[in-house]
Amino acid sequence: MATKILFTSLKGGVGVTTCCIGVGLALAEAGGRTLIVDGDSVCGSALTVAGLANMQVYTLSDYEKGACRAKQTLISHAKSSNLYIMPSVGLSDERVFARAVADVDGLFDYIFLDKVYSAPCDEAVIVTEPYAPSIKCADVSRSYLADSGVRELGLIVCKLSGAQILGGEVMSANQISNLLHLPLRGIIPEDLTLSSGKCRDTTSRAYSLAAENLAGGKRGLPDVTRQFSGLNGYFKRKMRQKI
């Protein structure tokens, strides 16, 4: 059976889907057969973030109507033969998620549920930005998931800038983790290239570390403040404030 992990946040725009795709791709490239179930039945956000928009032949809407099998909805990612996306565009009954996941369970090592609450999961990862509204929503998410019976909870802090930490503008990932009483699974640094579909090497490494942590390897966490430390780092922080 696959390990099923819910990626979630009650606040939109924090980067849940981006983190889900990034960590899933890192796991797949490490050899883990990984499926990402797209919980966006309206826009198919996971498909878009993965670069697979409009590539679907069948979706869970067709599976719901009995027009195809769950396996036929799977779309292979171009960068890794171990990564698949299950689209849900047009799905009207969320109970179908659990049935579809059960049908393909034996094909994968990991199944990531991108904001899919109706399918059973072994663990949940709450994604948050380092800003007060996101942290508050992360705390509410923690309480909601705990009340729902999910006992294994973790945290990924994304869009984290070392310059803002050193400048006292935001808390560090460890401080956020301690505040929320959640174990830290990953730190994803601020990367302004993600909006254009690109990814810096430091971001790719951060996703790989998060993937290892979720898989139980516990390789550690990236230090986002290193490049902003010292004299050169001081000038980088000043430059960042000007941009």
Side-chain angles (χ1 to χ4, degrees):
M1 291 180 61
T3 299
K4 303 171 194 67
I5 303 175
L6 170 67
F7 279 68
T8 186
S9 172
L10 292 181
K11 182 180 182 300
V14 302
V16 174
T17 300
T18 302
C19 282
C20 190
I21 298 293
V23 176
L25 182 58
L27 265 179
E29 289 179 336
R33 295 171 300 168
T34 306
L35 170 65
I36 295 173
V37 182
D38 188 355
D40 186 351
S41 61
V42 178
C43 301
S45 56
L47 283 176
T48 302
V49 173
L52 300 173
N54 301 317
M55 295 292 288
Q56 69 271 18
V57 176
Y58 295 108
T59 75
L60 289 182
S61 174
D62 300 299
Y63 172 74
E64 177 185 19
K65 299 169 186 174
C68 69
R69 293 175 295 164
K71 185 178 178 180
Q72 291 177 280
T73 68
L74 304 180
I75 304 173
S76 178
H77 197 284
K79 291 185 178 180
S80 175
S81 59
N82 282 328
L83 180 63
Y84 290 82
I85 310 293
M86 177 180 277
S88 63
V89 176
L91 182 66
S92 58
D93 186 354
E94 290 190 352
R95 292 176 296 181
V96 171
F97 280 118
R99 185 156 51 91
V101 168
D103 283 353
V104 299
D105 194 347
L107 302 177
F108 297 97
D109 300 311
Y110 299 94
I111 296 179
F112 286 179
L113 307 168
D114 181 23
K115 291 170 288 189
V116 178
Y117 297 95
S118 55
C121 60
D122 306 305
E123 168 179 2
V125 173
I126 298 170
V127 180
T128 184
E129 297 170 310
Y131 309 117
S134 296
I135 295 172
K136 175 60 179 176
C137 285
D139 188 36
V140 176
S141 296
R142 178 186 61 81
S143 299
Y144 172 79
L145 290 168
D147 291 343
S148 300
V150 181
R151 299 305 175 196
E152 190 72 25
L153 299 174
L155 178 71
I156 290 181
V157 181
C158 66
K159 305 179 186 179
L160 190 60
S161 167
Q164 287 185 305
I165 294 174
L166 293 174
E169 301 170 52
V170 299
M171 290 186 289
S172 69
N174 283 321
Q175 288 173 323
I176 296 171
S177 172
N178 291 334
L179 180 66
L180 294 174
H181 303 289
L182 289 171
L184 198 54
R185 304 298 190 206
I187 298 173
I188 311 302
E190 180 184 58
D191 186 349
L192 301 180
T193 68
L194 285 175
S195 59
S196 61
K198 300 178 182 179
C199 183
R200 292 175 179 166
D201 290 341
T202 52
T203 306
S204 294
R205 287 195 293 271
Y207 283 135
S208 295
L209 288 172
E212 285 286 335
N213 290 335
L214 285 176
K218 297 183 179 179
R219 285 184 55 196
L221 299 164
D223 182 3
V224 297
T225 63
R226 181 179 300 173
Q227 63 173 315
F228 295 103
S229 301
L231 184 60
N232 288 336
Y234 171 80
F235 287 113
K236 286 182 181 179
R237 296 202 303 272
K238 291 299 180 182
M239 287 285 291
R240 184 186 181 282
Q241 291 173 357
K242 298 290 184 181
I243 297 176

